Amino acid sequence: MSSEQRGRVLVLAAKAAGDALVERLTASGYQCASTERETGLAEMVDQLQPEVVLLAVTAKRAAELLETVRKVDKLQRLPVLVDQGRARSAEAFKRLAVDDFVRGADELVPRLESALRAWRLKEREERIRMRMGMLLEITQAATSSLELEEILRIAVEKVGQVTGTDRCSVVLVEGSHARTATVVATQEDPSLVQLDIEVARYPELRRALETRQPVLIEEAQRDPLMAEVRTSLLPQGVKSILVQPLICQDDLLGALFLRVSKGEASIGRDEQEFAEAVAGVLANSIRNARLHTAVKKKREDLELAYVERYRELNDANRRLKELNRLKDEIIAVCSHDLRAPLQVLLGHGRLLLEGPLETQQKQSADAMIRQGRKILTLVESLLEKGKGEAARLSIEPRVLDVAQLCRDAVAELEILAAEKAVALRSECPDSLMLIGDEVKLHEVLQNLISNAIQHASDPGSVVVRTQRLSRPDGDAVRVMVSDNGVGIPPDELHLVFDRYRHGPKGTGLGLAICKEFVELHGGEIWAESPAEGGCTFVFTLPLAQEAARNPRPQPAPGTAPEQPRVLVVEDEPEIAAVLSEVLRSKYRVEVARDGAEGLAKARASRPDLVVMDVFLPKLDGLDAAMALKSSSDTAHIPVILLSAHQGVADKVRALNLGAVDYMAKPFNAVELLNRTERALKLRQGDKEQQDKTGSLQRRTGSDPATGLLDRRGLLLRLEQEVARSRRYHRALTLAVLRPDREMEVMPSNMGDVMRKRVRHPDSIAHLGLGVFAVVLPECNADAARTVINRLMPDVEKVTSIEYRAAMADVSQDSDPVEKLLEKLGAPPPEVH
């Protein structure tokens, strides 16, 4: 066994004793050096690099030498042994702080061997602990938000400390066959950063990149791989080199380069494993940095492309607007230059007919008038088509009698029904006034009646009926068009209004248009298959609100009545000016330019009405409406929302958030004034309703104790929701909450507490004696259970009574609504 393997021993003893010990240890395979003097000790330590110190002197001298040993840096952590073989008494050595004692010649080698083994194990554990700590620091840096250059600088510094190398660098390459590499971090000389090198000039780097395997050069002066560069290595004294490739997910990114030039130092197995672990961390960090750079560049390219595309689209939009303007001018020319002469011709034609004419002349005048009217109809059709989609999805409202409209439509189609041998009749005795577009509602009736005539049996019958509906939120009219044909299968009833899917015998596009027109008026339309056969198309429309029975108090003589105050919230100055101009004819108007300003002014001045756009800066109109309804100070202020979007879903969402009305742009001035007046009447009606007695509140569907629905109001609302859920195949859950004991007095804030835990479309009713019912549209039983479980603790906290809940999905239950309540444990009507 070589002395390098056995160990290196520093012997501190007198010359004779020291020579004897050195001779014996050398024969046993140790590398030794001996001295007794303190002078020159440091030089001897540098040459020998001892692993253990052996003292073979007297106790007194041993204490002096031990103090000297502890002052030398390279000897402080080494094990120290004392040879007691020549001492007269061993007691004197016991006070020395040494690691072991050699009591005889036979113990010398075993004691040294044991001390070396323990010291080497301790050193190895220390090195492992240091490597793990450094690896953790490198990993933390690699996963932080530091830039890649800073991460690599920290890494090479830590690796150099652990491995004891005099050069540690990271070089990066682009691709597996790169000819050049870039030094991005180095321990030896920071000025070498961003230095480009040729891979061919570094054979060890070239082989590591080609093979993707680590390359270890143990003896650079003798390794054949380094033959071509050996002459340049000699002046630098390079001994060992390690090149560890940086690979992540099969991508070759570069290499970690380690070099040792110190005399006895080398790159061992521990250093290789540490370098491999660090390379894995750095490779992942480098790849992530490159991906981030690539994504950033891609995003910049996309943003640039978006800007260019935006410019192109903006130019195209400008050109389209110009073309649209030209189209409008052409339509205006047609409107003026064609209709005006036609009106003159028709007027003179009517004058001719009123005078004395011969038979042939009268026939000619009749023909002229008929053709003139036909041309006028074509001109009107051209103008209507020129208005485009906006014309179809906007209404020109006026007060009309829907019953009379049904009777007129039946009268117009009697000839068509007679040709098909179909008996067509109307059953519309009452006058039912509403605000709507006569042309569009007439088209709905014509489509439905024509479809019914087409699908009626032979001989067939078609009946048009109207019926008034009582609702808590205002009366409505139900129009039914029934035929005795083959009907529609139940599983296809909800598909007949689909624009892109035709039902039996071609039912499709006409019904889709009917659905749009009905929903444009705030109504609903659906199809039913009665048990007696045939098919019935039903649609509902809200009737015009009647004026309050109790007139407003008249102002005192000599004083002008105070006009209601309207707050207009609109960010477009031109539209805000139009709104203000229209509304100032009847109201006092104040303007806000964004949602936040509108909300602040509404809270400060408490206007009688807010007319607000949906899309506003700073605060969206829908959010502002929700904020107004969420505050008790402003919840009573009615809100009308405006939007350029024509979708029904937007209207429904706006109404669900508490708005009393929703208007689409562009709006008609008369329609705006009518809806404003209706909203103010609704508010006045609410005030009057609050002043009425509890019995009147109960009669109209409201519970005076809680402000919730009473039993009557619940039954009306539940009947509507059940019908809607069955028509559109949507979930509907009904829940009943019963207290453990009856409640005679209800807390005044119970309504507010319960409303906070449910959605706006949900309905809550007090059935008396503390029993509540909750209607949850479009909510299955599982989701409803979550809502009720969230609501129950609040109810129990306010009432101090425990509650039990029962709930069920009633969307497909055919029982009457009273029976549905009874199934869930609601008390019968006579209980309260």
Side-chain angles (χ1 to χ4, degrees), residues 85-117:
R86 296 175 177 81
R88 296 179 181 176
S89 174
E91 293 297 327
F93 290 98
K94 291 182 178 180
R95 295 189 297 270
L96 298 177
V98 295
D99 297 277
D100 203 353
F101 297 94
V102 180
R103 297 175 178 81
D106 296 337
E107 292 185 359
L108 180 60
V109 173
R111 295 286 184 180
L112 283 175
E113 191 71 26
S114 176
L116 283 170
R117 200 163 41 243

Side-chain angles (χ1 to χ4, degrees), residues 175-176 207-214 245 247 249-252:
S176 302
R207 174 169 293 184
L209 297 178
E210 290 175 351
T211 62
R212 297 191 171 206
Q213 297 294 327
I247 300 174
Q249 297 187 7
D250 204 37
D251 290 340
L252 180 63

Side-chain angles (χ1 to χ4, degrees), residues 123-138 158 162-163 268-275 278:
E123 286 292 301
R124 177 176 175 80
E125 291 177 351
E126 185 65 27
R127 286 196 300 271
I128 292 174
R129 188 179 299 108
M130 182 177 65
R131 291 192 184 99
M132 294 302 295
M134 293 295 187
L135 183 60
L136 177 61
E137 293 182 20
I138 294 172
K158 301 296 182 184
V162 171
T163 59
R269 182 61 189 169
D270 292 342
E271 286 75 14
Q272 296 176 45
E273 292 177 353
F274 179 71
V278 172

Side-chain angles (χ1 to χ4, degrees), residues 34-106:
S34 175
T35 182
E36 185 183 11
R37 294 173 300 174
E38 290 84 348
T39 57
L41 181 60
E43 291 79 4
M44 182 179 291
V45 170
D46 290 337
Q47 294 177 2
L48 180 62
Q49 296 293 320
E51 297 174 284
V52 64
V53 177
L54 178 61
L55 300 178
V57 292
T58 64
K60 181 179 179 181
R61 182 58 177 158
E64 297 174 354
L65 289 175
L66 185 60
E67 185 178 354
T68 302
V69 166
R70 297 309 183 193
K71 293 179 180 179
V72 179
D73 292 340
K74 294 184 178 181
L75 300 179
Q76 288 177 355
R77 300 174 63 249
L78 297 183
V80 178
L81 280 71
V82 174
D83 185 2
Q84 299 177 348
R86 296 175 177 81
R88 296 179 181 176
S89 174
E91 293 297 327
F93 290 98
K94 291 182 178 180
R95 295 189 297 270
L96 298 177
V98 295
D99 297 277
D100 203 353
F101 297 94
V102 180
R103 297 175 178 81
D106 296 337

Side-chain angles (χ1 to χ4, degrees), residues 409-689:
V410 168
E412 292 173 2
L413 294 173
E414 282 181 346
I415 298 176
L416 176 63
E419 292 177 355
K420 300 283 187 178
V422 174
L424 175 62
R425 71 181 190 277
S426 63
E427 298 178 2
C428 311
D430 298 329
S431 176
L432 300 166
M433 307 304 293
L434 56 77
I435 300 175
D437 190 315
E438 182 177 1
V439 175
K440 287 181 170 56
L441 292 180
H442 186 269
E443 185 174 345
V444 170
L445 288 168
Q446 278 197 326
N447 272 332
L448 295 180
I449 297 172
S450 300
N451 272 340
I453 293 172
Q454 181 181 353
H455 295 94
S457 300
D458 188 11
S461 65
V462 175
V463 183
V464 180
R465 299 182 179 88
T466 57
Q467 177 186 3
R468 179 184 289 269
L469 300 177
S470 295
R471 292 180 175 176
D473 54 350
D475 290 352
V477 60
R478 176 187 289 166
V479 181
M480 296 162 285
V481 179
S482 304
D483 64 67
N484 65 340
V486 296
I488 300 174
D491 57 343
E492 294 188 16
L493 286 174
H494 64 290
L495 301 175
V496 295
F497 298 99
D498 192 341
R499 178 181 292 272
Y500 304 105
R501 177 169 181 170
H502 288 247
K505 299 183 181 179
T507 302
L509 187 58
L511 292 178
I513 294 175
C514 291
K515 185 174 184 290
E516 288 182 358
F517 287 173
V518 169
E519 291 178 344
L520 200 61
H521 287 76
E524 288 184 290
I525 186 170
W526 66 92
E528 297 177 350
S529 289
E532 60 270 16
C535 181
T536 300
F537 282 87
V538 187
F539 66 90
T540 62
L541 296 172
L543 291 176
Q545 299 290 331
E546 296 181 1
R549 295 176 183 265
N550 298 329
R552 295 182 182 179
Q554 297 296 325
T559 62
E562 183 179 358
Q563 291 180 320
R565 293 177 295 114
V566 178
L567 173 63
V568 174
V569 187
E570 172 61 61
D571 60 321
E572 291 289 341
E574 295 179 356
I575 299 178
V578 172
L579 286 168
S580 302
E581 189 67 26
V582 171
L583 294 172
R584 279 199 179 99
S585 61
K586 300 179 69 175
Y587 312 106
R588 290 180 294 162
V589 180
E590 187 176 0
V591 179
R593 298 303 183 187
D594 57 64
E597 182 185 355
L599 185 60
K601 286 188 175 182
R603 288 171 173 170
S605 61
R606 311 282 175 80
D608 296 292
L609 176 69
V610 175
V611 179
M612 181 160 51
D613 190 18
V614 170
F615 296 99
L616 291 169
K618 296 186 179 179
L619 183 66
D620 185 80
L622 297 177
D623 294 335
M626 183 183 295
L628 288 173
K629 295 303 173 183
S630 300
S631 173
S632 59
D633 295 337
T634 56
H636 64 283
I637 302 175
V639 178
I640 297 177
L641 290 174
L642 305 175
S643 175
H645 287 266
Q646 311 283 342
V648 176
D650 291 334
K651 176 181 178 181
V652 172
R653 183 182 174 212
L655 298 179
N656 285 343
L657 291 177
V660 298
D661 208 343
Y662 178 94
M663 289 183 61
K665 299 177 183 179
F667 53 84
N668 182 281
V670 176
E671 179 188 6
L672 176 63
L673 289 173
N674 287 337
R675 295 202 185 190
T676 302
E677 183 66 24
R678 184 172 66 179
L680 290 170
K681 286 180 178 179
L682 285 174
R683 184 191 181 194
Q684 181 65 25
D686 290 341
K687 289 182 177 179
E688 294 174 357
Q689 186 73 7

